Amino acid sequence: MRREAPAAARNRQPILDALRPRLPAEGLVLEIASGTGEHVVHFAAALPGLTFQPSDPSADARASIDDWVRMQGLGNVRAALALDAAGDAWPIERADAVLCCNMIHIAPWEAAIGLIAGAAHVLPAGGTLYLYGPYRREGRHTAPSNEAFDRDLRQRDPAWGVRDLEAVMSLAEDRGFGPPEIIDMPANNLSLIFKRT
Ligand SMILES: C[S@@+](CC[C@H](N)C(=O)[O-])C[C@H]1O[C@@H](n2cnc3c(N)ncnc32)[C@H](O)[C@@H]1O
């Protein structure tokens, strides 16, 4: 049941390094699209003052997440929630921070719209929305590898694809987030840190 993704094992430490100084010392962190669960257990073990709420619409993913948490004996991770970012009502009312890695390019654009709207709903003023993944900037891919990845995604599903940073920023602005802090990450990915105003 426990699944592994080589990319998650590679990027979890750089993501944690970006998150650590930007998350509150305590509170509830909602992760959207937790996937295998390798990220959430890594973050929760390193940040014991926080409680983590993982989620994923896939039952297989939720089983993997819960299995990783059980195996590591972590007391600060809740059972994974069934949460579709594009769904109308999220099964959680409040969180102090929302994280989402590598989802909005592997889902229809409606998932990005729902993610930003849902995060705006659950976060208090000053709450953090953290996004990680590849983005186009000013209409261009930032690396040939991202362009090839984008082609591959669109062949798998025409509704998928590497998103434009400016389009995501515009969605966020419409929902009451300020301009993001942008951090260049390994392998041509970006961290975007939005604050709810
Ligand atoms: C590439 S995996 C990323 C997993 C993990 N966040 C990571 O970075 O390793 C994409 C995940 O997005 C989830 N997903 C797809 N559509 C979604 C949606 N509409 N709402 C929330 N999660 C979604 C999938 O079930 C899958 O677990």
Side-chain angles (χ1 to χ4, degrees), residues 1-194:
M1 276 217 281
R2 198 168 59 246
R3 296 190 296 158
E4 292 182 30
R10 276 197 303 276
N11 60 31
R12 63 189 178 181
Q13 189 58 41
I15 294 174
L16 175 61
D17 292 342
L19 282 175
R20 192 193 292 273
R22 294 174 177 85
L23 289 177
E26 49 192 39
L28 181 65
V29 179
L30 169 63
E31 188 186 34
I32 307 297
S34 299
T36 63
E38 290 162 283
H39 278 161
V40 79
V41 293
H42 190 69
F43 305 155
L47 303 168
L50 289 165
T51 299
F52 286 81
Q53 173 62 75
S55 71
D56 204 283
S58 152
D60 285 350
R62 293 196 301 278
S64 176
I65 297 159
D66 291 344
D67 213 16
W68 272 105
V69 174
R70 229 182 345 263
M71 189 197 65
Q72 302 216 350
L74 290 163
N76 61 332
V77 186
R78 295 183 180 171
L81 280 178
L83 192 159
D84 176 350
D88 278 343
W90 284 13
I92 181 166
E93 271 302 310
R94 290 276 300 181
D96 298 294
V98 175
L99 315 180
C100 183
C101 301
N102 291 319
M103 186 277 278
I104 64 172
H105 53 282
I106 307 183
W109 181 239
E110 287 68 30
I113 296 173
L115 170 67
I116 307 269
H121 179 76
V122 299
L123 288 172
T128 298
L129 169 62
Y130 173 91
L131 305 185
Y132 170 90
Y135 290 90
R136 285 155 43 104
R137 295 184 85 164
E138 295 171 355
R140 290 200 187 83
H141 286 289
T142 60
S145 57
N146 280 8
E147 191 168 0
F149 183 45
D150 187 34
R151 260 198 313 273
D152 177 59
L153 288 169
R154 289 175 196 277
Q155 270 168 13
R156 287 162 65 190
D157 187 326
W160 295 2
V162 172
R163 305 302 177 193
D164 283 306
L165 173 62
E166 295 77 13
V168 175
M169 285 170 58
S170 164
L171 277 185
E173 187 183 354
D174 290 349
R175 290 290 180 166
F177 289 93
E181 180 186 359
I182 302 174
I183 307 174
D184 285 310
M185 302 293 284
N188 306 301
N189 289 292
L190 296 179
S191 283
L192 308 181
I193 300 105
F194 294 95

